[in-house]
Amino acid sequence: MKVLVINCGSSSLKYQLIDMENENVLAKGLVERIGIEGSILTHKGKGDKFVLETPMKDHQVAVELVLNALVNKDHGVINDVCEIAAVGHRIVSGGDIYSKSVIVTDEVVENIKECIKLAPLHNPAHIVGINACRTLMPTTPMVVVFDTAFHQTMPEKAYMYALPYEMYTKHSVRRYGAHGTSHKFVSLKAAEMMGKDAKNIKMVTCHLGNGASCSAVVDGKCVDTSMGLTPLEGLVMGTRCGDMDPAIVPYIMKAEGLSPEEMDNLMNKKSGVLGLSGVSSDFRDIEDAAKNGNHRAKLALDVFHYRVRKYIGSYAAAMGGIDCLVFTAGLGENSISSREEICEGLEFLGIKLDKEKNNVRGKAVEVSTEDSRVKIYVIPTNEELMIARDTVELVKNK
Ligand code: AMP
């Protein structure tokens, strides 16, 4: 069974065609600058990379070109579009409507529209992508997989903010979390690596990339996560500030004469390790600058690591213990020094990192010492595969 996974952004579209018999990626690619000048498709299937620069006025044209590339006799990997058994779409927000993936219907599309207020940049693009696929592949089943779904098991005490209750009932203000597909994928994989099913494991999963979040997972279910109503809350990120005193918002707005949009931009785009270091939002650049004696770069890393360490400790307290710690995403999978810094001082929780085993990048491995009470794993995340697995599951049981 071949599944096409689609991830639509406002002007982009990422895709993978996965053969679910062996979970091999047959082809993948990226369409950029949809609807603007310089539209470009980069496709890797059979043979060399294929690049096509041609005007694409909307996502429907982009999906059409993706399907053409998949069946192309030189770089395609299938003979006919009908070989695609199902399509899985990544959706950023399902609000509190969806706690699991579902088959696409008109009602589902309406509900995703309802959640636009919670993901104004992403959900509109997802809907355009779904509609384009439904038009071009009218008989192919489609599934939507929500980034928020995994976090829907959080108890009320974890997802409610201590604001007037009407802010929740009137404006849906609560914690929804993000990166759920990744947290789910690595928590399942970690349980497999521990040789247990997810039951009876208390786990903290750290998705550390340009966007970063931690989740507390008990018995395979998310009980808390660091991102909130939006992905701004929680850890320090590439350009996002994460947790801070909310009174800072009106304080800076007044002091700098900023509008709400400008303040939002400052916290989302100009803060995090970029704002602290003044060097870059890319952790590799910051690590290099810190090695060369740049104080602010070192400070940015220290603040970042300290915040992750605090979340691990607080989640261990929230869960009443911890059995397993997982690092994933760009930094989590690749930064040997960051994993070391984060684990330093957590020995009191039974977390002991083996420095030799930790000398690894981008592989699913255990990196804890023999006598570490807590198993520590590096696990490359694979959101596309998780989406494809959910898609198969739903389509098979239709
Ligand atoms: P992601 O958002 O998951 O793609 O992660 C992107 C982040 O991972 C960027 O800030 C990268 O600098 C960081 N990253 C990727 N590879 C490495 C590496 N080898 N060492 C440190 N950071 C890395």
Side-chain angles (χ1 to χ4, degrees):
M1 181 173 186
K2 295 182 181 96
V3 173
L4 179 62
V5 176
I6 299 255
N7 180 357
C8 272
S10 52
S11 65
S12 69
L13 186 164
K14 282 190 221 149
Y15 64 93
Q16 281 192 10
L17 184 68
I18 305 177
D19 183 347
M20 294 307 288
E21 302 310 321
N22 46 24
E23 299 193 335
N24 279 347
V25 177
L26 300 171
K28 62 178 173 181
L30 168 68
V31 188
E32 292 165 285
R33 303 181 63 86
I34 300 168
I36 50 180
E37 210 178 312
S39 307
I40 180 165
L41 162 75
T42 312
H43 170 90
K44 180 78 190 78
K46 200 170 62 193
D48 292 338
K49 193 164 79 175
F50 167 66
V51 179
L52 176 67
E53 273 189 74
T54 184
M56 298 180 211
K57 70 175 166 56
D58 55 28
H59 283 72
Q60 183 152 330
V61 176
V63 174
E64 239 173 284
L65 291 170
V66 168
L67 296 178
N68 286 346
L70 290 171
V71 299
N72 183 285
K73 69 174 176 28
D74 296 323
H75 37 260
V77 289
I78 50 177
N79 294 317
D80 195 293
V81 171
C82 67
E83 285 179 47
I84 301 172
V87 181
H89 295 266
R90 177 210 176 205
I91 310 292
V92 164
S93 181
D96 52 11
I97 306 174
Y98 292 109
S99 57
K100 49 186 189 308
S101 307
V102 287
I103 300 250
V104 175
T105 61
D106 291 342
E107 188 195 342
V108 169
V109 175
E110 279 310 307
N111 285 337
I112 297 170
K113 255 186 217 161
E114 272 293 298
C115 299
I116 285 178
K117 60 178 189 258
L118 300 169
L121 298 179
H122 293 95
N123 273 24
H126 301 326
I127 294 166
V128 175
I130 293 168
N131 289 340
C133 289
R134 288 177 97 192
T135 308
L136 293 164
M137 293 178 272
T139 56
T140 310
M142 312 256 157
V143 167
V144 278
V145 178
F146 302 94
D147 266 8
T148 46
F150 183 60
H151 304 306
Q152 277 296 306
T153 46
M154 280 190 285
E156 224 176 356
K157 66 183 175 194
Y159 71 68
M160 284 302 289
Y161 293 113
L163 288 164
Y165 198 78
E166 304 76 60
M167 296 302 112
Y168 171 57
T169 50
K170 275 164 67 185
H171 304 299
S172 312
V173 174
R174 53 157 282 184
R175 181 189 306 285
Y176 294 96
H179 294 145
T181 311
S182 172
H183 287 288
K184 182 177 171 186
F185 180 84
V186 298
S187 59
L188 287 169
K189 180 76 186 167
E192 187 191 309
M193 288 169 82
M194 282 181 93
K196 298 182 178 185
D197 67 25
K199 288 230 161 60
N200 304 317
I201 307 176
K202 292 172 178 155
M203 196 183 289
V204 175
T205 50
C206 304
H207 177 111
L208 309 178
N210 193 33
S213 62
C214 284
S215 288
V217 182
V218 178
D219 295 344
K221 294 201 169 69
C222 177
V223 294
D224 207 343
T225 195
S226 60
M227 282 179 167
L229 174 77
T230 76
L232 186 56
E233 193 181 346
L235 302 179
V236 175
M237 310 180 209
T239 60
R240 297 185 199 127
C241 57
D243 296 338
M244 64 176 187
D245 180 350
I248 292 172
V249 176
Y251 183 85
I252 291 184
M253 286 174 76
K254 278 188 207 145
E256 294 276 318
L258 301 184
S259 66
E261 291 72 28
E262 286 167 333
M263 187 64 204
D264 199 54
N265 192 45
L266 181 145
M267 295 183 294
N268 274 292
K269 301 271 167 67
K270 297 181 182 166
S271 300
V273 288
L274 168 69
L276 273 169
S277 69
V279 171
S280 167
S281 63
D282 192 302
F283 280 91
R284 282 165 291 202
D285 299 339
I286 301 172
E287 284 181 4
D288 288 346
K291 268 186 214 134
N292 291 327
N294 182 317
H295 167 72
R296 277 176 53 187
K298 168 81 168 62
L299 173 68
L301 292 175
D302 285 349
V303 175
F304 174 83
H305 296 139
Y306 179 63
R307 182 83 52 93
V308 180
R309 203 179 309 134
K310 282 210 295 190
Y311 263 97
I312 295 169
S314 67
Y315 283 169
M319 296 187 294
I322 173 169
D323 307 308
C324 173
L325 175 64
V326 182
F327 290 102
T328 191
L331 184 81
E333 291 165 25
N334 295 299
S335 177
I336 294 158
S337 57
S338 277
R339 291 192 298 259
E340 206 175 290
E341 295 277 335
I342 290 165
C343 290
E344 184 134 359
L346 291 179
E347 294 79 7
F348 79 101
L349 282 176
I351 294 173
K352 282 199 204 167
L353 187 79
D354 185 315
K355 289 192 181 169
E356 248 167 64
K357 288 191 203 160
N358 185 46
N359 199 1
V360 68
R361 295 185 205 275
K363 280 195 208 139
V365 281
E366 188 194 326
V367 292
S368 34
T369 60
E370 288 291 319
D371 64 340
S372 178
R373 209 188 41 72
V374 175
K375 295 280 183 207
I376 313 172
Y377 297 110
V378 174
I379 300 179
T381 194
N382 194 337
E383 286 156 294
E384 290 78 11
L385 182 56
M386 193 74 247
I387 293 171
R389 283 181 184 164
D390 271 14
T391 302
V392 170
E393 185 91 6
L394 278 163
V395 169
K396 271 194 174 158
N397 296 326
K398 202 163 82 138

